[in-house]
C-alpha cells in the first residue's frame, strides 16, 4: 500500500506525548544543577533520584481527564528531580578523581598510552595520556585517568640544584630535549610535573576549567625533558590492539599528508580542520577573518557538515538501493529504500564524525540525527517543538554541561527558528509544470525541462537566502550575548561561503583522502574564498561590537528576533522590534565624574590593569605572551575590552619585559585609536608598530575630574643603560575625593626609595611591586604608601614563587589586605567605595572551578 500523501493532504500529528513534559523537566533540572557553587552530598542526590523515580511512576498511571494538569506538573517535577540528581551524581563521581593537591608541582614518573592524535605546534606537542601507572620517589601514587600534557621545545629555566625555585635561583639556562615524534596508541614512560586544572577567571570570558571538565581532564602538566631529567622513552605500540588507536593513527597520517602536499600552511590548516576537525591547525589570523565574516561554523567539523554529509549519503544510498530492484527485488522487500537511506545516512555520518575526532559538537549532532531517524522510522508524526525538545533532552542527558556551551544554543536556536519560520510553501507551479503544447513539439521539447530546472535552482537559491536572513536576524541578539560581537557582513559572507565550503571544498577535501591531487584543487578554492573574505573583513563596519548585556536583556532580544521571523500576522511580528531595543541600546555602568575604577585582569604571570573614568580608559601593561601564536591580549584583554564596551585612550606599558608587553600588539591592533606610552627603547618592535611617547616624572593630565601623575622614571635615566625593571613607569591616580591608586610595575627597592624622596605617595590601592618578589615591597615603602588593599598579579604555581611568603608577611604585619589573582581571578575596585572589592572567581563560582585548599581570594590581616 502506498503511504505517500496525496496532494492537499497533510500528515496527521500525534497528540503531544506525556513524556515530553518529563523531558522538559529533565532539561530544566539539569540547568538548575549547573548553577551549584559546590556539589552536595551523594545522599542528597540519591534522595532526589528516588523522588524523581516515584514521580515518574505516578505520572505514568492514567489519571482522570479532569485532573490532567496536576499530572503534567508531576511529570515536570519528576523530570527536574531526575535531571538534577543524575547530573549531580555524575559530577560527584568525576570530582572524586581529582588530582591530589599534594602531588602538584612534584616530578612524577608516569607510564601511559597516548590517547588521541597529538597537537603539533611550533613551540610544543600537546597530547592526552591515559595513565597506566605512576610513581613518586619509588612509591606508587594515584592520578586522574587522563592527563593533558605539553612537551615543550627550546630553552627553559631550571633551578640550581642546591637552591629553592625562586626568582633569584632560576639562573641556570638549560636546553630542553626536543619533543620526539608521537603517535596515538604508543605507550610512553616519562617524568611529568602536574597541576590541577586552573584557568584565568575574567568577566564574560571563556571558561577553560569548564572545558577541561567537559573533556574529562582532571590534571594538566608538562613533560620534564631537561638534561638532568630522565629522558622520555617509548615502550611499545598499542595501535594494533585497539581500533580507536588505529583510527587516530589514520587521522594523524592524513594530517601529515595534507601538510606535506600543500605548501601553504594557511590552506593546509583549513583543509585539516575540514577533514579531521583539527581546529588548532588554523592560524590565528585566519580565525580573525572567519569571526569577522561570521563563517567560523563552516571551517570546523560542525553540525552543518555532518548533517549535510548524512543528507548526501542518504540520497546516494537511497538511489542505489532503489535501483537494486532492477537486478533483484530482495533488498527492497527486506528493507524499503527510504529506510535504507535513513539508516545508511546515519551510519555514514557517524563514520565521518569518528574520523573527524568525534568531538563533543559532533557527538551532539549524531545524537540529534539518531533521534530524528528513530522517530521517523517508528512511524510517529510529532510536531516540530516536540522533536526539537526530544533532541535537546537526549543531548543534555548525554552531556549535561553542553547547556553552558555557545555552540549548543546557537545550533538548537537556529534549528528551532528554521522550524518555526518555515512557510511550508511548495515550489511555484511553473517549476514543475510542463507545457503540453511544448511537449508536442519535438524540436522544443527540452525547453520546458530547462525552464523547470532553472526555476527549481532559483527557488532553491531563494530558500537558502531566506533561511540565512532568518537565522541572521534571529541569532543576532544571542550572538551578541555570547560573543559581544556580530558580523555585519555575515549574511553576504555566508551566502558566498556556504555553497563553496559545503558543496565544493569539503567534498573535495574528503575525496582527497582517497586521491590526494584533489587537495590541490580544494586548496586553490580555499585561497580564492580567503581572498574574498579578507576583503569583506577589511570593511570599516564589518563587525559590530556591543558591551555585554544582562541575561534578561538578551532573552528579550532573542524573543524579539523569533517574533520577527515566525509565521505570525504582522501585527504580532512588529512586537519583536521593541524587544530588540534593549540589546541594541544597552550601555554599561561607568564611574561617576571625579571617580575611577580599577580592574586587574587575571592574565597569569604578568601585569595588566584597566583604569576607567566616566568617559576615558587606560590600560596599564598588557600581560604576557604564552606562545608564538597566543598572548594575553588576544586571549583575555581583547574579549574583555569588547565585553565592557571600552575604547582605550592610552596604553601605558611600564617596561619592556615580556610579561608586561606580550599582549600589547593584539590590543593595539584591536584599538587603533589608543595612544602608546612606555619606557621602552625607540628600536623596540612595539615602538615601530605604534609611535609612542616616553613616560617620565612630572607628566600630568586629568580625565573627567580624575588626576593622573607619572612618578617614575626620571627623564635623565634614559641617558644611561639600565635594567628594564628599574625603568618601570609608575602612575598614581587620584579621584576628586582624594582616593588614590598606585601602579608601580616591577620597581625594586632602590626605585622605591627614590619615590619616597619625591614626596607623598600615600594610596588606598597598591599594585604589588614586581608581582611580590623579594626584591621589592620594602618595609619603608609600605609604610609610606599605607594601602588598604594590594593586588598581586601572579600566575598559579608560577616558577618564581610570587608573591614570596616573606613579602606577604610584611603586608600582613601592616594590616594590608592582599588579593592574589591566582585565587581571586580578576579583581575590581572602585574609588567611590575604597573598602570594597569584587573577585570574579567568587562572583561566578561553580563546582567545576578549581579551589586551592586552604587558600582564600583575599589574604586579610
Amino acid at each position: 500500500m502506498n503511504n505517500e500523501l496525496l496532494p492537499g493532504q497533510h500528515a496527521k500529528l500525534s497528540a503531544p506525548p506525556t513524556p515530553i513534559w518529563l523531558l522538559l523537566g529533565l532539561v530544566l533540572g539539569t540547568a538548575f544543577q549547573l548553577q551549584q557553587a559546590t556539589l552536595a552530598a551523594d545522599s542528597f542526590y540519591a534522595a532526589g533520584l528516588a523522588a524523581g523515580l516515584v514521580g515518574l511512576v505516578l505520572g505514568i498511571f492514567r489519571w482522570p481527564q479532569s485532573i490532567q494538569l496536576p499530572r503534567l506538573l508531576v511529570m515536570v517535577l519528576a523530570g527536574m528531580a531526575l535531571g538534577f540528581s543524575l547530573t549531580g551524581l555524575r559530577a560527584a563521581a568525576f570530582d572524586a578523581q581529582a588530582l591530589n593537591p599534594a602531588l602538584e608541582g612534584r616530578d612524577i614518573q608516569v607510564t601511559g598510552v597516548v590517547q588521541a592524535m597529538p597537537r603539533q605546534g611550533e613551540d610544543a606537542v600537546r597530547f592526552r595520556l591515559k595513565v597506566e601507572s605512576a610513581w613518586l620517589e619509588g612509591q606508587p601514587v594515584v592520578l586522574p585517568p587522563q592527563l593533558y600534557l605539553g612537551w615543550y621545545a627550546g630553552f627553559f629555566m631550571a633551578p640550581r640544584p642546591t637552591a629553592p625555585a625562586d626568582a633569584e635561583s632560576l639562573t641556570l639556562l638549560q636546553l630542553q630535549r626536543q619533543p620526539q615524534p608521537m603517535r596515538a596508541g604508543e605507550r610512553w614512560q616519562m617524568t611529568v610535573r602536574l597541576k590541577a586544572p586552573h584557568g584565568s577567571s575574567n568577566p564574560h570570558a571563556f571558561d577553560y576549567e569548564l572545558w577541561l571538565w567537559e573533556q574529562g581532564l582532571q590534571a594538566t602538566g608538562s613533560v620534564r625533558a631537561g638534561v638532568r631529567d630522565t629522558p622520555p622513552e617509548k615502550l611499545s605500540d598499542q595501535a594494533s590492539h585497539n581500533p580507536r588507536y588505529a583510527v587516530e593513527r589514520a587521522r594523524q597520517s592524513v594530517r601529515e599528508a595534507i601538510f606535506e602536499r600543500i605548501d601553504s600552511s594557511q590552506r593546509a590548516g583549513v583543509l585539516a580542520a575540514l577533514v579531521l576537525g583539527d581546529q588548532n591547525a588554523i592560524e590565528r589570523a585566519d580565525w580573525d577573518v572567519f569571526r569577522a565574516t561570521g563563517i567560523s561554523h563552516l571551517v570546523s567539523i560542525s553540525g552543518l557538515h555532518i548533517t549535510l554529509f548524512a543528507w548526501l549519503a542518504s540520497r546516494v544510498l537511497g538511489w542505489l538501493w532503489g535501483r537494486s530492484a532492477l537486478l533483484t527485488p530482495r533488498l527492497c522487500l527486506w528493507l524499503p529504500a527510504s529506510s535504507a537511506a535513513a539508516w545508511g545516512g546515519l551510519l555514514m555520518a557517524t563514520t565521518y564524525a569518528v574520523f573527524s575526532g568525534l568531538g563533543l559538537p559532533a557527538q551532539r549532532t549524531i545524537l540529534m540525527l539518531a533521534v530524528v531517524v528513530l522517530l521517523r522510522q517508528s512511524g510517529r508524526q510529532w510536531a516540530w517543538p516536540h522533536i526539537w525538545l526530544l533532541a535537546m533532552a537526549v543531548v543534555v542527558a548525554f552531556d549535561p554541561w553542553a547547556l553552558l556551551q555557545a555552540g549548543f544554543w546557537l545550533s538548537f536556536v537556529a534549528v528551532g527558528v528554521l522550524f518555526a519560520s518555515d512557510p511550508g510553501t511548495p515550489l511555484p507551479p511553473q517549476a514543475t509544470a510542463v507545457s503540453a503544447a511544448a511537449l508536442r513539439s519535438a524540436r522544443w521539447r527540452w525547453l520546458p525541462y530547462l525552464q523547470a530546472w532553472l526555476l527549481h535552482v532559483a527557488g532553491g537559491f531563494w530558500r537558502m537566502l531566506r533561511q540565512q536572513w532568518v537565522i541572521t536576524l534571529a541569532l543576532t541578539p544571542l550572538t551578541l550575548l555570547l560573543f559581544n560581537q556580530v558580523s555585519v557582513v555575515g549574511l553576504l559572507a555566508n551566502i558566498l561561503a556556504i555553497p563553496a565550503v559545503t558543496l565544493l571544498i569539503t567534498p573535495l577535501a574528503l575525496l582527497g583522502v582517497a586521491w590526494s591531487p584533489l587537495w590541490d584543487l580544494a586548496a586553490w578554492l580555499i585561497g580564492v574564498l580567503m581572498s574574498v573574505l579578507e576583503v569583506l573583513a577589511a570593511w570599516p563596519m564589518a563587525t559590530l561590537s556591543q558591551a555585554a548585556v544582562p541575561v534578561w536583556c538578551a532573552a528579550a532580544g532573542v524573543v524579539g528576533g523569533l517574533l520577527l521571523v515566525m509565521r505570525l500576522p504582522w501585527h504580532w511580528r512588529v512586537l519583536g522590534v521593541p524587544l530588540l531595543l534593549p540589546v541594541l541600546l544597552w550601555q554599561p555602568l561607568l564611574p561617576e565624574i571625579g571617580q575611577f575604577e580599577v580592574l586587574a585582569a587575571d592574565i597569569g604571570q604578568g601585569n595588566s590593569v584597566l583604569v576607567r573614568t566616566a568617559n576615558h580608559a587606560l590600560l596599564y601593561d598588557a600581560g604576557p605572551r604564552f606562545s608564538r601564536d597566543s598572548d594575553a591580549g588576544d586571549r583575555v584583554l581583547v574579549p574583555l575590552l569588547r565585553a565592557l564596551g571600552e575604547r582605550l585612550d592610552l596604553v601605558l606599558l611600564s617596561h619592556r619585559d615580556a610579561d608586561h608587553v606580550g599582549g600589547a600588539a593584539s590590543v593595539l591592533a584591536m584599538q587603533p585609536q589608543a595612544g602608546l606610552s612606555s619606557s621602552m627603547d625607540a628600536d623596540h618592535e612595539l615602538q615601530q608598530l605604534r609611535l609612542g611617547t616616553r613616560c617620565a616624572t612630572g607628566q600630568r593630565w586629568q580625565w573627567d575630574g580624575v588626576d593622573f601623575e607619572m612618578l617614575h622614571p626620571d627623564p635623565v635615566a634614559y641617558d644611561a643603560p639600565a635594567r628594564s625593571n628599574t625603568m618601570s613607569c609608575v602612575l598614581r591616580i587620584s579621584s576628586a575625593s582624594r582616593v588614590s591608586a598606585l601602579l608601580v610595575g616591577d620597581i625594586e627597592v632602590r626605585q622605591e626609595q627614590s619615590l619616597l624622596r619625591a614626596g607623598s605617595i600615600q594610596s588606598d590601592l597598591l599594585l604589588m611591586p614586581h608581582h611580590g618578589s623579594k626584591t621589592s615591597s620594602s618595609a619603608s615603602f609600605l609604610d609610606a604608601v599605607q594601602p588598604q588593599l594590594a593586588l598581586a598579579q601572579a600566575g598559579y604555581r608560577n616558577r618564581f614563587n610570587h608573591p614570596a611568603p616573606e613579602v606577604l608577611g610584611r603586608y600582613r604585619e601592616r594590616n594590608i589586605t592582599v588579593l592574589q589573582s591566582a585565587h581571586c581571578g580578576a579583581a575590581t575596585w572602585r574609588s567611590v567605595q575604597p573598602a570594597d572589592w569584587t573577585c570574579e572567581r567568587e562572583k561566578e563560582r561553580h563546582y567545576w572551578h578549581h579551589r586551592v585548599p586552604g587558600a582564600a581570594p583575599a589574604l586579610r590581616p
Side-chain angles (χ1 to χ4, degrees), residues 201-345:
S201 179
N202 293 284
H204 316 290
F206 173 71
D207 194 339
Y208 178 65
E209 294 171 28
L210 172 62
W211 181 84
L212 290 173
W213 177 282
E214 195 175 16
Q215 297 292 321
L217 299 168
Q218 285 279 45
T220 62
S222 59
V223 177
R224 306 298 294 172
V227 295
R228 292 176 181 162
D229 298 307
T230 303
E233 179 183 3
K234 185 175 75 171
L235 302 179
S236 61
D237 195 335
Q238 301 295 309
S240 59
H241 305 293
N242 191 321
R244 174 183 176 181
Y245 297 144
V247 172
E248 291 295 331
R249 186 73 61 87
R251 296 179 65 237
Q252 190 168 355
S253 298
V254 170
R255 185 187 191 279
E256 294 169 351
I258 290 175
F259 277 88
E260 182 179 351
R261 182 168 187 89
I262 306 302
D263 295 332
S264 170
S265 61
Q266 176 196 52
R267 302 177 186 182
V270 176
L271 278 177
L274 292 174
V275 177
L276 306 169
D278 186 9
Q279 299 184 35
N280 297 287
I282 299 178
E283 298 178 358
R284 194 175 83 176
D286 294 334
W287 274 123
D288 293 338
V289 173
F290 297 149
R291 293 190 189 101
T293 53
I295 69 157
S296 298
H297 61 288
L298 294 178
V299 290
S300 58
I301 302 298
S302 63
L304 174 65
H305 292 89
I306 296 176
T307 304
L308 176 67
F309 189 85
W311 178 77
L312 290 174
S314 65
R315 294 296 295 267
V316 172
L317 288 173
W319 184 84
L320 293 175
W321 200 273
R323 294 303 181 272
S324 69
L326 299 177
L327 300 176
T328 175
R330 292 181 179 179
L331 287 178
C332 291
L333 292 175
W334 174 66
L335 186 67
S338 59
S339 298
W343 291 112

